[in-house]
Amino acid sequence: MKVIDMHCDTVGALFRLRGEGKAGSLRENSGHIDLLRLKESHYLLQNFAMFIPLNRCDAPWEQVCAMYGYYKEELERNQDILAPVLRFGDIAENEAAGRLSSLLTVEEGGVCGGEIEKLRELYRMGVRMITLTWNFPNEIGQPNFDPGLRRKLDEAVESWQKCDPDTPAWERERQAAQAACNACMHTPNVTGGLTAKGKEFVEEMERLGMIPDVSHLSDAGFMDVLEVTKKPFVASHSNARAICPNVRNLTDDMIRKLSERGGVTGLNFCADFLEEKPMGERNPGSVSAAVRHARHIANVGGIDVLGLGTDFDGIPTHEELPGAQSMEKLWEALRKGGFSERELDQIFYGNVLRVYGDTLG
């Protein structure tokens, strides 16, 4: 078994810990991913995202540069077992040398502030994939959350949380919060896509050898990326909306179109994107839900469109798949779900490796 995971937030999580004066290292930590567990679990390559939340950051560019500095320090400290991927050939060379491969990504294209030169600087840093938006509009395009509906959801949840659970008002406010949640999480953005600058960005990314990532992007933006690009692109951490109706997941039409382009979507381990629960009910996550999404995606788009994008260290812990050490458990569950060993090899690394071969320099 080999593993390629298209998305985790481990670097950002460790960077924030250091900013708080707390201990943590990429080599070994108590989060979802560390290098020792990656090696024990037969990882070939891990994408490490530099995630910058625009709503909580006054200087996104400076923040991503600081996070990059931390990433470089960790590469230096761990060069005995980890090496960067700057071109496709690096993956095989790193494997032959007995080292894990690290592909650096950015989750939030807004860090560039609409400046193409900053995009090129990210490429020079070694970034080879960019999630075009997170949950807020930027100069590139719009996310799949309506800002007004998201605001109403936040207000409804805050009002509910202020209620005494032993009063009738608690259930009334819970129901209001549930309705606001359904409106926000089930209403895709089908009109606000890429901006003119966003289309320029995506075209330049393809020219440079950077992969556009449409996870978080609006439905309209997905179609714009499809129109603007010629090479494969990815949804690094998105599931099937037909199985779980959250707008963070892909419609069947998107899955088919992504497959036709030669792209891949990465199975996301976030419990709320795998299976919805009523607001207030605990959602621990289940392997069976992950298998349902995998089977649906493969049935709709073919086995070539499915990969892994765990979202580890960016999501609440999935109790049945709590970290990098869980990959053999997922493999066995998918095998019991009817996937052949050849198909499992494609899901766990082969399909993503093919996309990297088609896109990286």
Side-chain angles (χ1 to χ4, degrees), residues 167-242:
T167 65
W170 186 90
E171 177 58 23
R172 184 174 63 249
E173 293 294 335
R174 188 200 69 79
Q175 290 179 12
Q178 182 71 71
C181 179
N182 290 343
C184 179
M185 300 301 179
H186 299 167
T187 307
N189 184 347
V190 296
T191 57
L194 295 182
T195 63
K197 176 61 70 174
K199 292 177 181 179
E200 183 184 349
F201 256 70
V202 171
E203 288 174 345
E204 180 65 5
M205 286 176 67
E206 191 166 79
R207 187 192 71 80
L208 288 168
M210 301 173 82
I211 304 168
D213 175 12
V214 298
S215 285
H216 291 280
L217 188 63
S218 66
D219 283 15
F222 178 101
M223 296 305 171
D224 287 339
V225 171
L226 189 70
E227 181 180 347
V228 169
T229 57
K230 296 180 178 64
K231 294 180 182 178
F233 58 93
V234 304
S236 70
H237 53 304
S238 294
N239 297 327
R241 205 178 300 174

Side-chain angles (χ1 to χ4, degrees), residues 17-270:
L17 278 179
R18 188 174 75 166
E20 296 167 1
K22 299 176 182 177
S25 72
L26 193 57
R27 194 178 196 91
E28 190 170 14
N29 61 65
S30 59
H32 297 158
I33 279 178
D34 60 37
L35 298 183
L36 296 184
R37 278 178 286 163
L38 294 183
K39 198 164 184 66
E40 288 175 4
S41 301
H42 312 291
Y43 275 64
L44 175 65
L45 184 153
Q46 177 65 57
N47 284 17
F48 287 104
M50 298 190 293
F51 165 54
I52 308 296
L54 295 184
N55 64 322
R56 302 195 299 271
C57 183
D58 294 329
W61 180 252
E62 288 75 8
Q63 185 78 350
V64 80
C65 288
M67 197 176 293
Y68 171 69
Y70 173 77
Y71 170 76
K72 288 289 286 183
E73 289 174 17
E74 288 290 347
L75 279 180
E76 275 295 315
R77 290 191 192 103
N78 296 289
Q79 57 184 300
D80 58 321
I81 58 173
L82 184 70
V85 172
L86 302 179
R87 58 184 184 84
F88 180 66
D90 291 338
I91 301 171
E93 291 177 12
N94 294 341
E95 183 181 21
R99 296 194 288 181
L100 299 165
S101 282
S102 169
L103 192 142
L104 186 62
T105 79
V106 167
E107 185 175 24
E108 179 49 87
V111 300
C112 294
E115 299 180 34
I116 291 288
E117 185 48 46
K118 285 182 176 174
L119 174 68
R120 295 175 183 140
E121 180 60 24
L122 290 176
Y123 181 83
R124 288 190 285 270
M125 290 177 182
V127 173
R128 294 297 180 265
M129 181 186 294
I130 296 180
T131 311
L132 301 176
T133 67
W134 190 54
N135 290 342
F136 301 96
N138 61 28
E139 296 83 0
I140 294 172
Q142 295 189 26
N144 222 17
F145 289 119
D146 178 277
L149 293 176
R150 184 61 186 258
R151 194 160 48 249
K152 289 180 181 178
L153 170 59
D154 292 340
E155 291 168 356
V157 169
E158 183 179 1
S159 179
W160 171 45
Q161 290 175 339
K162 288 178 180 177
C163 284
D164 183 339
D166 296 325
T167 65
W170 186 90
E171 177 58 23
R172 184 174 63 249
E173 293 294 335
R174 188 200 69 79
Q175 290 179 12
Q178 182 71 71
C181 179
N182 290 343
C184 179
M185 300 301 179
H186 299 167
T187 307
N189 184 347
V190 296
T191 57
L194 295 182
T195 63
K197 176 61 70 174
K199 292 177 181 179
E200 183 184 349
F201 256 70
V202 171
E203 288 174 345
E204 180 65 5
M205 286 176 67
E206 191 166 79
R207 187 192 71 80
L208 288 168
M210 301 173 82
I211 304 168
D213 175 12
V214 298
S215 285
H216 291 280
L217 188 63
S218 66
D219 283 15
F222 178 101
M223 296 305 171
D224 287 339
V225 171
L226 189 70
E227 181 180 347
V228 169
T229 57
K230 296 180 178 64
K231 294 180 182 178
F233 58 93
V234 304
S236 70
H237 53 304
S238 294
N239 297 327
R241 205 178 300 174
I243 302 300
C244 179
N246 194 296
V247 295
R248 271 286 288 106
N249 293 332
L250 302 180
T251 66
D252 285 0
D253 184 51
M254 290 177 181
I255 292 169
R256 291 188 194 97
K257 285 181 166 58
L258 187 64
S259 179
E260 290 165 1
R261 177 55 61 84
V264 173
T265 188
L267 191 65
N268 189 323
F269 289 10
C270 178

Side-chain angles (χ1 to χ4, degrees), residues 264-281:
V264 173
T265 188
L267 191 65
N268 189 323
F269 289 10
C270 178
D272 289 335
F273 300 156
L274 290 168
E275 185 177 22
E276 290 188 337
K277 300 286 186 183
M279 185 161 282
E281 182 178 324

Side-chain angles (χ1 to χ4, degrees), residues 1 3 43 269 308 310 324-331 348:
M1 183 178 77
V3 180
Y43 275 64
F269 289 10
L308 301 177
T310 63
Q325 69 276 13
S326 308
M327 287 304 177
E328 287 188 7
K329 184 174 185 178
L330 178 63
W331 175 287
F348 275 71

